[in-house]
Every structure is written in structure tokens, then in C-alpha cells.
């Protein structure tokens, strides 16, 4: 890193709420925010947006005739981006770039249009333009009337943190001083859920009425014997600015990325070599002992959780820092998950309080939090690590 990058605003919508105060309050409880919902012909565990946020998204859809046919993932991004830019104080005359991605993209519309095609043999007129991945950043740019570059991408579950990488790279190149980065996902559709079930990674925990287990997703439980991934819908945005700004919520001190050779399309090595490389790169010359907290990707799968833990043990020489994750509480939000992890990290830095996991035993809690590492990885073994420091 040539110089620190300031995070001057954070905005998200998820089952935890839509304001930083709501989100922090949700994190300070020991309750999860997952529920049993009807998706297609089956009932599964998932995390949905609160009803108030759903209504706000619908109002956004009805506010402009051009927004009527957009996918929910695009509307989520527009809504969260408006709030982030307002919080950062970026006006319509601000020259900033936009990089917002999604793992699955326009899932609801794609499934809807494909069903129509199978039934009628003809696609809807807007089936192509409304399902392209470029919809997200381009519509956000349209809505915010931004003057900088707008980029969309999909790098599976590390999408949002790859957006952070891109924002840092653009700012350090000198081509712009500001970048809006993040991810958005609306994956609660029948086909998306079925895909995860086909991989045998989705949670099969029975309802609370039938089980004493209050946690459908056991992310970071290293002793679990079943996969417990649960999906959720969300969007998360961060405003990045060059240098150390007075209104910074936290600073980005280091970034790391890596991809490891694959044995198959969803493989990851037993000790997650990609995470070892990305964390080492993010640390740079920093002594690993200076990192107080690591926000793990930890998707709630047996292999995903333990391989990342093993990588951390190697990089931090078995002197493991305080480890946490939010997926037991909010579910896995695919392309948006890195943004929510980044938000959790910044909130812990600002409130100076570690957020622990109820079913994980900790030997000790950090008394102060000055540096936090945030991890994300997706199908394809593409890992990203971001090192944050307190303002």
C-alpha cells in the first residue's frame, strides 16, 4: 500500500436492519436472525430483509418507471448506495468510481424469464438487458449521476472484497480519489437453493419445534458433523477515499489476494493455501501478532470452516487471534457477504468490542481492537484478505 485508504461511509441492508445502529445492536445479542421461509415448494432456513426494508425497496421500484423491471439485487444496490454516498457527503458533483458485484446476479428475473421461455418458446423483450451482470453498477451510476467509471463483476463469494481491491487499485493509481464498492445479492429463489442442496452444503437443521439446536448455521463450529450453510439476501456498500480523512471510520492498511490450483470446481485445500497467501500479502511486513481480530469467511460448511482455520494457524504461527464470523447470525449472502464482514470489522474497531459466537469457546477476549483482518473466498479458490486499522 502506497498510503492508507479511508473508509468514510458504510451502508448495508440485511436481516440485521438498515442502519449502523440497528446492525450493531443486532450483533450485540446472542440470537441469530435466520428463519424458516417458504421458497418454491419447500421450507428452508434463510435470512430475509426486514419488512420495513422490503417496503422501502418496493417504493424504490415504483418511484421510476425505469426501475419497474429491475431485479431485486439491482434495487438492493441502488438503495444501499444512496445511503452510503449520503453518509460520506459525496454530492452530485463528486467524481467517484463505482464497483459493485454479485455472485449470482439477477436470479429472480433469470428464473422467471427462463420459465416463460420453456412454457411459450419465446423470451420476454427485456429478458436480456435486465439479467446482464453489468446492470448493478450501471444502474447505480445512473441513479447517483456519478461521473467516474462503473464496473460490475462476479467472483463468487469474494465478490465484494474484490470490489474493495479494485477500488484501492484505482485510487492508488491516481486515476480517481474516491470509489464506491460493494456487493448485492438476492439469492432466495428455488433454483439457487436447489443448487446449494445439490452440493449437499445446505443446512438441514429441523425447526426449533423439533430440535433443541437453536443455531441452524454452525459457522466456525469446528466439531460439526454436517454442513450448515444458510443463504440470505443483502447488499453492502463502502465509500473509499484517498489518504487519512478526518471522517474516516477506519483505514485500509493492507490488501491481499490469491488463487490456488483446483482439484475440482468447488475445491479448497485442507489448509487453504489461497488464504495463507492472501493473508500474508495483506500483512506485508507487519508482525502477525499485531492483528487483534480476524473476521473469517467461515460459510458453515465442514471443509470450508476448518481449512480457513488451518490457514490462520499457519500464518499466525498457532498463536490464533480472536476469531469470529457473522454467517451464523445473518447467513451466507454470497456476493454481498464480504461487505457485511467488512462492516462488522469496522463496527468492532469503532465500538472497541469483540463480537463472539455463542457456541464457540474463547480462551480470552481482546481488551483493545486496533487491527482487524477480514477474509473472503469463493468457488474457484479465489481468496481476498483486507487489513483494517482503527482511526
Amino acid at each position: 500500500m502506497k498510503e492508507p485508504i479511508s473508509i468514510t461511509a458504510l451502508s448495508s441492508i440485511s436481516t440485521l436492519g438498515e442502519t449502523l445502529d440497528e446492525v450493531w445492536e443486532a450483533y450485540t445479542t446472542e440470537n441469530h436472525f435466520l428463519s424458516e421461509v417458504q421458497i418454491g415448494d419447500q421450507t428452508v432456513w434463510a435470512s430475509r430483509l426486514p419488512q420495513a426494508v422490503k417496503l422501502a425497496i418496493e417504493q424504490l421500484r415504483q418511484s421510476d418507471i425505469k426501475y419497474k423491471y429491475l431485479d431485486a439485487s439491482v434495487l438492493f444496490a441502488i438503495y444501499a448506495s444512496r445511503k452510503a454516498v449520503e453518509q460520506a457527503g459525496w454530492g452530485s458533483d463528486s467524481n467517484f468510481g463505482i464497483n459493485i458485484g454479485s455472485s449470482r446476479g439477477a436470479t429472480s428475473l433469470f428464473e422467471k424469464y427462463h420459465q416463460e421461455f420453456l412454457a411459450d418458446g419465446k423470451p420476454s423483450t427485456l429478458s436480456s438487458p435486465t439479467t446482464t451482470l453489468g446492470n448493478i453498477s450501471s444502474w447505480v451510476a445512473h441513479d447517483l449521476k456519478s461521473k467516474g467509471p462503473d464496473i460490475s463483476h462476479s467472483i463468487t463469494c469474494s465478490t465484494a472484497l474484490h470490489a474493495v481491491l479494485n477500488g484501492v487499485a484505482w485510487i492508488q493509481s491516481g486515476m480517481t480519489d474516491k470509489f464506491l464498492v460493494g456487493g448485492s445479492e438476492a439469492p432466495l429463489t428455488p433454483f439457487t437453493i436447489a443448487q446449494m442442496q445439490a452440493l449437499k452444503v445446505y443446512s438441514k437443521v429441523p425447526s426449533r419445534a423439533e430440535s433443541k439446536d437453536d443455531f441452524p448455521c454452525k459457522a466456525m463450529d469446528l466439531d460439526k458433523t454436517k454442513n450448515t450453510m444458510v443463504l440470505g439476501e443483502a447488499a453492502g456498500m463502502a465509500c473509499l477515499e484517498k489518504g487519512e480523512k478526518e471522517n474516516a471510520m477506519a483505514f485500509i492498511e493492507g490488501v491481499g489476494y490469491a488463487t490456488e490450483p483446483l482439484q475440482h470446481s468447488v475445491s479448497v485445500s485442507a489448509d487453504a493455501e489461497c488464504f495463507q497467501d492472501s493473508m500474508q500479502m495483506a500483512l506485508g511486513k507487519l508482525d502477525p501478532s499485531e492483528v487483534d481480530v480476524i473476521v473469517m469467511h467461515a460459510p458453515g460448511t465442514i471443509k470450508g470452516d476448518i481449512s480457513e482455520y488451518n490457514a490462520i494457524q499457519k500464518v499466525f504461527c498457532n498463536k490464533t487471534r480472536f476469531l469470529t464470523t457473522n454467517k451464523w447470525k445473518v447467513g451466507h449472502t454470497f456476493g454481498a457477504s464480504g461487505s457485511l464482514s467488512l462492516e462488522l470489522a469496522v463496527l468492532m474497531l469503532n465500538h472497541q468490542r469483540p463480537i463472539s459466537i455463542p457456541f464457540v469457546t474463547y480462551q480470552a477476549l481482546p481488551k483493545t481492537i486496533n487491527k482487524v483482518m477480514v477474509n473472503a473466498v469463493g468457488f474457484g479458490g479465489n481468496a481476498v484478505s483486507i487489513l483494517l486499522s482503527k482511526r
Side-chain angles (χ1 to χ4, degrees):
M1 295 279 290
K2 295 180 180 178
E3 62 181 320
I5 301 293
S6 295
I7 299 176
T8 56
L10 287 169
S11 172
S12 71
I13 53 173
S14 72
T15 188
L16 304 181
E18 63 170 316
T19 69
L20 290 176
D21 287 342
E22 287 177 338
V23 171
W24 180 246
E25 183 178 356
Y27 274 129
T28 59
T29 73
E30 292 193 345
N31 303 321
H32 69 76
F33 284 69
L34 309 176
S35 59
E36 292 180 291
V37 299
Q38 185 75 22
I39 299 178
D41 296 329
Q42 61 178 327
T43 300
V44 297
W45 287 101
S47 76
R48 287 194 180 278
L49 296 178
Q51 189 59 30
V53 178
K54 285 281 194 182
L55 290 174
I57 295 297
E58 186 56 32
Q59 289 175 355
L60 173 62
R61 183 186 296 279
Q62 301 301 325
S63 68
D64 190 319
I65 187 64
K66 296 186 292 295
Y67 295 171
K68 184 177 180 180
Y69 299 102
L70 296 180
D71 186 74
S73 59
V74 180
L75 295 174
F76 292 175
I78 292 174
Y79 187 78
S81 295
R82 284 182 179 181
K83 291 160 61 69
V85 168
E86 179 182 7
Q87 183 187 132
W90 294 358
S92 58
D93 58 340
S94 296
N95 181 17
F96 61 90
I98 297 173
N99 188 178
I100 303 169
S102 178
S103 176
R104 293 302 194 273
T107 50
S108 294
L109 287 185
F110 195 91
E111 291 178 33
K112 171 180 177 291
Y113 289 143
H114 189 247
Q115 286 177 348
E116 291 176 355
F117 176 72
L118 292 178
D120 304 330
K122 296 180 180 179
S124 297
T125 303
L126 296 177
S127 59
S128 176
T130 55
T131 57
T132 57
L133 187 58
N135 259 319
I136 293 186
S137 287
S138 59
W139 276 109
V140 169
H142 163 82
D143 186 76
L144 298 178
K145 299 179 175 57
S146 66
K147 300 177 181 178
D150 53 276
I151 309 163
S152 296
H153 69 271
S154 172
I155 312 180
T156 60
C157 305
S158 57
T159 291
L161 291 196
H162 270 284
V164 175
L165 291 181
N166 289 341
V168 169
W170 275 79
I171 290 173
Q172 294 206 346
S173 74
M175 296 178 70
T176 183
D177 292 337
K178 302 174 182 176
F179 236 87
L180 173 68
V181 299
S184 181
E185 205 76 47
L188 302 185
T189 65
F191 186 51
T192 307
I193 297 294
Q195 289 177 71
M196 296 304 103
Q197 291 173 330
L199 288 171
K200 303 188 186 320
V201 297
Y202 212 83
S203 178
K204 291 183 178 180
V205 174
S207 68
R208 294 187 189 186
E210 301 172 6
S211 173
K212 296 179 180 180
D213 192 337
D214 286 334
F215 300 99
C217 178
K218 285 295 192 74
M220 234 190 85
D221 177 356
L222 303 181
D223 297 321
K224 60 179 172 288
T225 58
K226 296 180 180 179
N227 291 319
T228 62
M229 179 188 287
V230 172
L231 295 189
E233 53 188 4
M237 306 298 156
C239 291
L240 309 184
E241 298 191 39
K242 181 180 180 179
E244 297 186 0
K245 299 299 181 182
E246 291 185 2
N247 63 331
M249 303 176 70
F251 300 125
I252 298 177
E253 273 194 14
V255 297
Y257 51 88
T259 302
E260 66 181 55
L262 300 178
Q263 299 301 317
H264 54 80
S265 61
V266 295
S267 69
V268 63
S269 56
D271 52 3
E273 294 175 16
C274 55
F275 265 138
Q276 292 182 52
D277 293 342
S278 67
M279 288 189 289
Q280 290 280 16
M281 182 185 294
L283 285 169
K285 297 180 180 180
L286 184 74
D287 190 317
S289 65
E290 293 190 42
V291 176
D292 303 298
V293 176
I294 301 173
V295 180
M296 295 175 62
H297 180 72
T301 62
I302 297 171
K303 191 169 184 179
D305 291 5
I306 193 66
S307 62
E308 184 180 359
Y309 177 80
N310 290 340
I312 292 170
Q313 291 289 84
K314 286 202 169 186
V315 172
F316 289 84
C317 304
N318 292 322
K319 296 179 181 178
T320 307
R321 318 319 295 164
F322 177 84
L323 306 180
T324 190
T325 184
N326 55 14
K327 291 184 179 64
W328 68 274
K329 183 182 284 280
V330 72
H332 194 348
T333 55
F334 281 159
S337 63
S339 292
L340 299 189
S341 294
L342 190 77
E343 180 181 61
L344 171 58
V346 173
L347 287 172
M348 286 190 290
L349 282 168
N350 280 270
H351 289 274
Q352 285 297 291
R353 175 177 173 179
I355 297 300
S356 56
I357 302 170
F359 49 80
V360 172
T361 300
Y362 294 91
Q363 294 181 347
L365 301 180
K367 295 180 180 179
T368 59
I369 304 175
N370 294 312
K371 296 185 188 297
V372 181
M373 180 85 76
V374 183
N375 284 341
V377 71
F379 292 153
N382 49 80
V384 177
S385 299
I386 307 294
L387 180 63
L388 302 177
S389 63
K390 181 184 175 183
R391 206 177 150 241

